[in-house]
Amino acid sequence: MVESHLLDLLRSRFSAAIATVLGDNAAPIDPLIRVSQDAKFGDYQCNAAMSLAKRLSAKPHDVAKRIAESVDLGDIAEPLEIAGPGFLNIRLKNDFLAAHIADILAGSDEFPGRLGVAPTAQPLRVIVEYSSPNVAKLMHVGHLRSTILGDVFGRVLSFIGHDVIRQNHVGDWGTQFGMLIAWYADHPMPSDSVDFLAATEEDYKLAYAKFREDAEFAERARLAVGRLQSGDPDARCVWQQICRASRAAFLATYRQLRVLLTDEDVRGESFYNGRLADCVESLRRLFPQREPGIPTPSEGFAEFREDAGAQCVFLYDAKGQPRYKGPDGNELPVIVQKKDGAYLYASTDLAALRFRAQDLKVDRIIYVTDARQKLHFQMFFGIARLAGWAPPSLRLDHVTFGSVLGEDGTPLKTRDGQNVKLHELLEEAVARAAAVVDENEARRAAEPGYTPLAAEERARIARAVGIGAVKYADLSRDRNGDYLFSFDRMLSMQGNTAPYMLYAYARIRSIYRKAAERDSTTASPSARLTLSAAAERALALRIARFGEAIDIVAADLLPHVLCAYLYDLAADFMRFYEECPVLQADGATRASRLRLCDLTARALRLGLDLLGIETIDRM
RNA sequence: GCACUCGUAGCUCAAUUGGAUAGAGCAUCGGCCUUCGGAGCCGAGGGUUGGGGGUUCGAAUCCCUCCGAGUGCGCCA
């Protein structure tokens, strides 16, 4: 086994030592290896002694001593230090650390370009369902987090080696199309321009107003729903035009956002239309009303029955009590078919899950939607499990996130209370970034020997910084909470922001440009690394820990952990940059430092790429 | 009423899922430009982790209980 991470390596060494201490037939114990919070406690620490003390009826300090005597770290760490009640502080040898990042991470290992991250031993087929905007409407801030987060999950899981299927579950079906079809029978449809969605969104508002005022129009709209669903060519033609133009607009936004979703990832609600009736009938068969007196299974059960004219599934726990209740205290059903016969999103989600499990044969489905839909997903997962459509081997995750709030702490809206259009928000971010770039250029123009940036390159930088800032600001927060949107903070150079990270990267590129100008010696892959300065060592250790962050993001779907790592990496580099001259250093030191720069740049670029953020050589 | 999320420095956020003296950025105050990009770096002050109990070697983290904020709860998605 390749112990690509230092953490893995230490775990296995300490597990062996603890096994020795405990004796032969003891169950394996987690060695509790943690990263030390303070450099004076070493690089890592083993915290197992305290918890083992009681079990061995010995003093924690003595247990720590026995572990320290048993563990084989001669080649990788300085002698262990026992501190406090029984902490074992581990300080890696400089030579080992240098060799580790040079050999394992530099691409001479079996996973070149992966910075030491090995592909998973158990690749799974994973669906990531995200973004999911509504056809005939502009995307707004409400779609931002799902789109950005879902894209990172797809990138990271794919990087880890899983077979990722992206699904854009767009809202392209439903009663609103009746109104639009009826409306466009009397009015021209907007052309497939960039403003198509803005126009259809306005038309929808007009159609909806007319629907409520004009009984004749309302009737035609209702009939149009039926015509669409029964495949009437005219109705379908209008619908298809709307869907096609909408998709083109979505794709433009995805390109702008550097999101990987393509036209082929679109599998809208309409796709499942033909499967809904069978889905509901299957539920009716699977969940008959229970005879009284039959013992309830431990996992609970479901009942299918009509209630107030709607076809419903009711969920019960192991005691036969309703799992969910409404505000009136009555049991709360999942409605799978309305009293007028129409289907709802619960039926669509169930049909989609069946399709994915049976036809796409996936091992895991990740739904990226906001936290407000939590109850829906709990109920829907519950039905899918009880129906057997989601067997225990199929992992289901509802990845939730909070709302985007404005500076006043309320959900982000325009002054007139409208949703903020996504393209407008992104354009403003790029415009603000461009202003900063221009300001910086104007200041630096006075510097001797400065070659100004071409207008085209300035624009490219502004896009990378502006879009990167919006994405990074979102991703760097723990997704569970709401998050305060602030252009000023996200475009700030200080702190955990995209510009700070991009600046660190650009500084490294600048060193390489300068090195190439002066003479041709840049980093040679065989250069020996020496870590004599504190800043060199700290940077090297940070680089070696790249895989730890990736592991956490992949396991817990928490991108902010990767952001925090990259911030620490960039900050470590900045300190190194201040303390350790690279190009002025001579011979071996210079080669070694160039190597550190190269590794830092690679880690930053790969990390940011997994976050869907573009790096730039100058800014 | 029930359920979920959250409450950490004046502000915006972390805390490797139970580890040592709770860390960053902003703001405030003070240092560093004849050296590779100062969009930078270093330092100082700033905390009863909403309150109170409990669990244990050890709690921001787990349990109970109050307080406060947000969200959801039958035919929208």
Side-chain angles (χ1 to χ4, degrees), chain A residues 595-614:
Chain A
R595 203 88 186 82
L596 277 175
C597 289
D598 181 36
L599 285 164
T600 304
R602 289 201 216 186
L604 281 171
R605 192 172 53 208
L606 178 56
L608 288 169
D609 187 58
L610 290 172
L611 295 173
I613 293 170
E614 181 181 15

Side-chain angles (χ1 to χ4, degrees), chain A residues 443-485:
Chain A
R443 190 168 39 69
R444 295 186 66 198
E447 292 175 18
Y450 181 72
T451 44
L453 293 164
E456 191 182 319
E457 189 170 7
R458 285 213 301 268
R460 207 166 57 80
I461 292 167
R463 274 200 306 275
V465 172
I467 300 296
V470 170
K471 297 179 81 170
Y472 193 90
D474 195 325
L475 294 168
S476 59
R477 265 77 169 176
D478 184 336
R479 60 176 163 74
N480 285 308
D482 293 344
Y483 123 76
L484 252 71
F485 189 96

Side-chain angles (χ1 to χ4, degrees), chain A residues 12-156:
Chain A
S12 72
R13 297 281 178 105
F14 275 88
S15 288
I18 290 168
T20 305
V21 169
L22 289 178
D24 288 339
N25 40 16
I29 287 269
D30 184 347
L32 297 176
I33 307 296
R34 297 289 123 94
V35 175
S36 298
Q37 288 205 359
D38 195 312
K40 73 185 172 206
F41 299 138
D43 303 324
Y44 292 86
Q45 56 187 242
C46 167
N47 297 341
M50 281 85 77
S51 57
L52 284 173
K54 182 170 286 181
R55 179 169 152 178
L56 295 172
S57 52
K59 290 180 181 170
H61 191 274
D62 294 339
V63 176
K65 198 174 170 201
R66 285 160 67 186
I67 295 174
E69 285 163 359
S70 305
V71 71
D72 173 21
L73 293 175
D75 51 337
I76 60 179
E78 305 292 347
L80 292 175
E81 172 192 308
I82 304 173
F87 295 103
L88 281 168
N89 294 340
I90 306 159
R91 188 178 161 83
L92 300 168
K93 284 185 174 171
N94 279 8
D95 288 349
F96 168 74
L97 190 54
H100 182 78
I101 67 163
D103 297 342
I104 309 282
L105 303 183
S108 56
D109 65 319
E110 56 186 301
F111 311 119
R114 298 182 62 90
L115 286 164
V117 181
T120 178
Q122 291 152 335
L124 301 174
R125 179 169 290 184
V126 184
I127 282 182
V128 184
E129 180 188 303
Y130 66 105
S131 194
S132 308
N134 291 316
V135 156
K137 280 180 166 176
L138 285 163
M139 290 181 76
H140 56 83
V141 275
H143 300 109
L144 185 64
R145 301 199 84 182
S146 174
T147 305
I148 292 176
L149 285 162
D151 204 54
V152 174
F153 303 149
R155 286 171 185 264
V156 170

Side-chain angles (χ1 to χ4, degrees), chain A residues 265-513:
Chain A
D265 301 319
V266 172
R267 182 113 57 183
E269 293 170 343
S270 61
F271 177 81
Y272 306 101
N273 186 48
R275 302 162 189 268
L276 299 175
D278 179 60
C279 187
V280 170
E281 286 318 302
S282 299
L283 291 170
R284 189 194 305 280
R285 278 200 314 279
L286 285 163
F287 300 137
Q289 295 200 34
R290 290 177 73 81
E291 309 283 336
I294 296 178
T296 54
S298 61
E299 69 272 23
F301 62 94
E303 267 190 17
F304 186 103
R305 61 176 188 269
E306 187 174 307
D307 193 85
Q311 306 305 309
C312 300
V313 176
F314 291 86
L315 290 159
Y316 300 92
D317 64 18
K319 291 175 184 160
Q321 296 301 307
R323 275 197 202 273
Y324 305 100
K325 290 183 178 176
D328 53 5
N330 294 331
E331 55 182 324
L332 187 70
V334 175
I335 297 175
V336 292
Q337 191 174 16
K338 290 158 54 168
K339 63 183 170 198
D340 67 2
Y343 300 97
L344 294 100
Y345 71 142
S347 354
T348 308
D349 278 338
L350 283 163
L353 182 143
R354 265 179 113 185
F355 171 75
R356 292 163 181 181
Q358 292 169 11
D359 295 52
L360 299 180
K361 302 197 186 329
V362 300
D363 305 297
R364 182 180 184 188
I365 308 176
I366 296 169
Y367 298 87
V368 190
T369 81
D370 69 287
R372 289 177 301 188
Q373 293 190 44
K374 192 160 188 167
L375 181 62
H376 162 70
F377 278 96
Q378 274 177 19
M379 298 172 102
F380 150 55
F381 288 171
I383 293 174
R385 294 285 184 208
L386 289 169
W389 296 342
S393 61
L394 174 58
R395 179 170 171 186
L396 300 175
D397 290 298
H398 179 213
V399 178
T400 60
F401 52 84
S403 308
V404 179
L405 307 180
E407 308 260 13
D408 61 352
T410 64
L412 190 63
K413 299 275 179 185
T414 60
R415 263 184 228 91
D416 51 348
Q418 300 292 304
N419 281 323
V420 177
K421 308 304 183 198
L422 194 46
H423 72 95
E424 287 174 5
L425 181 141
L426 297 176
E427 281 155 17
E428 179 166 359
V430 172
R432 285 178 182 241
V436 177
V437 172
D438 290 345
E439 192 185 318
N440 189 44
E441 276 293 288
R443 190 168 39 69
R444 295 186 66 198
E447 292 175 18
Y450 181 72
T451 44
L453 293 164
E456 191 182 319
E457 189 170 7
R458 285 213 301 268
R460 207 166 57 80
I461 292 167
R463 274 200 306 275
V465 172
I467 300 296
V470 170
K471 297 179 81 170
Y472 193 90
D474 195 325
L475 294 168
S476 59
R477 265 77 169 176
D478 184 336
R479 60 176 163 74
N480 285 308
D482 293 344
Y483 123 76
L484 252 71
F485 189 96
S486 163
F487 280 119
D488 288 337
R489 267 196 298 274
M490 69 178 65
L491 285 166
S492 163
M493 196 58 212
Q494 293 105 347
N496 191 7
T497 65
Y500 184 82
M501 237 69 61
L502 294 173
Y503 180 56
Y505 183 81
R507 275 185 142 180
I508 300 173
R509 302 306 303 165
S510 173
I511 289 175
Y512 273 83
R513 276 194 302 275

